[in-house]
Each structure stands twice: as structure tokens, then as C-alpha cells.
Amino acid sequence: MTDGGHLFNNVSLEGRGGTNPGQIKFSSIGLLWKKSGGGKAVEVDKTDISGFTWMKIPRTNQLSVRTKDGLYYKFTGFRDQDVSSLTTFFQNSFGLTPEEKQLSISGRNWGEVDLNGNMLSFMVGGRQAFEISLADVSQTQLQGKNDVILEFHVDDTTGANEKDSLMEISFHIPNSNTQFVGDENRP
Amino acid sequence: GDGRFSARSSSELVAYKNVNELPVRRELMIQIDQKNEAVLLPINGSMVPFHVATIRTASSQQDTNRNAYIRIIFNVPGTPFNPHDSNTLKYQNCIYLKEVSMRSKDPRHSNEVVQLIKTLRRQVMARESEKAERAT
């Protein structure tokens, strides 16, 4: 590439609406993802990027991009060699070293809840089971003394191509848990 | 193999050991992996595996707009037959995922998913209780 950028042709944007295939280009000014066949595009200026995270998922790698506004994007479809070349590129061009996270594969339903900005991560044995953006939460409820319910916006506008979409999730915090500082009243 | 289930308590059951053992996803929809006894739920663009032994009940419902709803309730301490009641101390600072509700565009798929979860769960529970009996 003439401007020292990196182009990847089979990178999907993932989200609550489903998976959108497309292509992504990283250059010295930031990143640009375009949906195959036109339509949706995501453009993030390098000055708006607050961090990157890599995660290995079955057969491929996922890149999460966090912005200073608290938004985040997930892109899937990077090979192992792309991970190392992009990591070097992010360090050199953006001055950012990506974090590495591992996907929880044990299948357990108990762990810890981490809150980082408006991202809630459910961590099992130090590995990430899932992340939820609190921006997608329409309502939180406390049920009894121990259960926190998160309800999600039902979004029919994103051209959702996922068959099953998340509506509600609840966490149980046992009485024995003295570490949870309590975020029942957020957001 | 048999070695994977040598653990005594069902709370020790593990779905996968390596990330590449997970099924390649075709679509963002609930998937059942019989071989690894796992239920994979699409959460925020990722497929998240849960061992079927962590699930207490699964049910489906349908509304008048042909939307189907799938509700999965997980085992948490303080409910009957929970694997953690015997050694709660070890898990005292944990938070549990208790329930996940999803809306499905496909009522047939949602019924099938619920039936598969129930059958798989029954098989695993029967095997584990048999194993526990033999051990005593």
C-alpha cells in the first residue's frame, strides 16, 4: 500500500445486530471499515481511539476498538500473522499497544464482573465470557436483595441479521460476596 | 473420553479446553454442541459457551407476532441441587450469571433449542449422579 496502510478484505463488524461482512483499512490517520456492497461504514480517527484489544476466537481473531467517547467496535477475521503485523502498526502509528484477552471456554456461569467505562465484562477464571455495553441497556432492576437484571433495547433498525437476540440478562450476587461495590443504581 | 469427567462434582465440568474446539459459528443464534455438552449463546456479537450442567431450566414461549422467546435459567447458590452449596466458601466472592432471555425470529428453532438443552441436560445429570453413586 502506498501510504503504508493495511487493508483486509474479509473483516466483519460484529454487534448486537449481527455480523456484517466488509473490509477494513488501517492507515496513519485511523481506520475505515466498509460493508461489502456499500451501505454502512465505520470511520474512527486515530485521535479518537483509546485502545485496542485482541481476542482469539475459533479459527480467527477479533479486534475490539474502543473510542474516547465510550463507543467500541468489534471486528472479526484477522489471521494470526495479521495480529502481529497490526500490533506493530498500532504501536508505531498510534502509540497504542493492544491488550490481549482470552475467551472463557470452560462454560462456567460464575466469575467476576468488571466495569470499565461503560463496558461491563463478565470474567470467568480471568478469561472473558462476554462484554456488554451499558449504552445498550435500557433498564436495570434490583430483584430481591441479590439479583440485578439488565434489560436491553430491542433494536429492529440495524437490519439485524441475528436470529436470536439478547433481551434480558440477570446476575446473582450471593450474600457472601463482600467485594462487589454495588452498581445496582447504574446506569 | 472418560478422563474428562473424572471430576466428582458437576461444578468441575468443563466445556472446552482449547478455543479451537468451539464450533465455527454460522449465524448468530443459539447453538448446542452435543459432543462438548455445551450451549453457545450469542451475546453482543460473540458466541459464549456454557456447560449444560450450569443450566437449571430452559423454556420457550411465543407471542402473537410470531416472535419466540427463549429463557435459560442457570444454577446459582441457594437453589435446590446446586453444585456449589457444599463448598460455597470457595466461591463466596463470585457473581453468577442467573438468567438469559433471548428473542428469536424462528419459533421452530427456539422450540428445538429448548428440547435439545433439556435432553442433553438430563443425560449429563443422569450420568453424573450415577457416577457419584458409584463413588460412594
Side-chain angles (χ1 to χ4, degrees):
Chain A
M1 247 143 294
T2 49
D3 58 355
H6 294 252
L7 178 76
F8 301 93
N9 276 317
N10 291 302
V11 169
S12 301
L13 174 69
E14 317 274 339
R16 293 214 313 132
T19 300
N20 283 303
Q23 66 168 45
I24 194 165
K25 188 181 177 186
F26 298 93
S27 70
S28 52
I29 54 165
L31 69 87
L32 174 64
W33 175 88
K34 283 186 201 156
K35 188 176 172 174
S36 308
K40 197 176 165 65
V42 169
E43 195 171 3
V44 187
D45 199 86
K46 82 168 186 190
T47 53
D48 293 332
I49 299 172
S50 64
F52 294 104
T53 306
W54 286 115
M55 187 187 270
K56 220 177 224 318
I57 61 171
R59 313 293 186 277
T60 184
N61 292 282
Q62 187 173 61
L63 176 70
S64 300
V65 181
R66 292 185 305 282
T67 72
K68 288 176 182 159
D69 301 335
L71 295 172
Y72 75 103
Y73 301 98
K74 280 183 181 174
F75 300 103
T76 304
F78 299 97
R79 299 163 303 170
D80 290 348
Q81 60 262 45
D82 303 336
V83 173
S84 46
S85 69
L86 277 175
T87 296
T88 310
F89 177 76
F90 295 153
Q91 287 167 332
N92 294 341
S93 298
F94 304 150
L96 292 168
T97 300
E99 283 177 63
E100 276 180 47
K101 279 188 176 175
Q102 287 180 303
L103 177 70
S104 167
I105 51 172
S106 66
R108 291 173 181 164
N109 71 318
W110 62 94
E112 285 165 35
V113 168
D114 281 352
L115 280 162
N116 182 5
N118 66 346
M119 290 301 286
L120 182 157
S121 318
F122 187 55
M123 305 291 292
V124 175
R127 289 165 166 245
Q128 181 174 292
F130 56 84
E131 275 182 326
I132 288 167
S133 166
L134 295 180
D136 294 329
V137 175
S138 61
Q139 208 182 346
T140 57
Q141 280 187 55
L142 195 58
Q143 191 176 66
K145 269 168 53 195
N146 301 98
D147 296 345
V148 179
I149 304 175
L150 307 180
E151 287 171 31
F152 294 89
H153 294 291
V154 178
D155 190 353
D156 292 319
T157 57
T158 49
N161 55 7
E162 64 179 357
K163 199 180 242 183
D164 301 329
S165 39
L166 187 63
M167 298 197 64
E168 203 180 290
I169 218 166
S170 78
F171 292 103
H172 175 82
I173 301 132
N175 285 331
S176 58
N177 188 319
T178 50
Q179 285 181 352
F180 193 64
V181 286
D183 274 275
E184 292 88 344
N185 299 316
R186 291 185 50 187
Chain B
D2 211 71
R4 209 153 63 89
F5 297 111
S6 54
R8 210 153 285 154
S9 153
S10 64
S11 70
E12 308 282 328
L13 289 175
V14 164
Y16 301 96
K17 292 210 163 124
N18 183 302
V19 72
N20 284 323
E21 293 170 4
L22 269 82
V24 176
R25 71 158 183 236
R26 294 155 296 170
E27 233 186 303
L28 285 175
M29 58 183 238
I30 301 178
Q31 256 180 281
I32 317 293
D33 179 357
Q34 306 262 3
K35 184 171 149 260
N36 291 288
E37 302 176 346
V39 177
L40 294 110
L41 303 179
I43 300 179
N44 218 353
S46 304
M47 293 300 288
V48 186
F50 294 97
H51 196 280
V52 76
T54 63
I55 294 176
R56 197 166 127 232
T57 59
S59 57
S60 65
Q61 249 188 334
Q62 211 176 318
D63 72 10
T64 45
N65 294 325
R66 280 189 56 78
N67 277 317
Y69 298 90
I70 303 166
R71 192 174 185 209
I72 294 171
I73 300 176
F74 295 88
N75 286 314
V76 300
T79 51
F81 313 115
N82 183 268
H84 283 177
D85 285 347
S86 50
N87 49 359
T88 316
L89 261 183
K90 193 171 153 193
Y91 300 106
Q92 66 176 351
N93 279 316
C94 281
I95 288 179
Y96 291 75
L97 180 65
K98 186 179 184 181
E99 190 189 315
V100 173
S101 292
M102 312 206 85
R103 187 178 65 175
S104 179
K105 287 177 182 166
D106 182 351
R108 210 165 59 182
H109 156 75
S110 73
N111 286 332
E112 192 191 335
V113 156
V114 167
Q115 280 317 313
L116 285 172
I117 294 175
K118 283 182 173 169
T119 311
L120 184 58
R121 188 186 173 278
R122 227 176 4 246
Q123 287 165 359
V124 172
M125 290 297 123
R127 183 194 65 212
E128 291 301 310
S129 63
E130 200 182 306
K131 202 170 282 173
E133 263 170 47
R134 255 186 284 135
T136 52

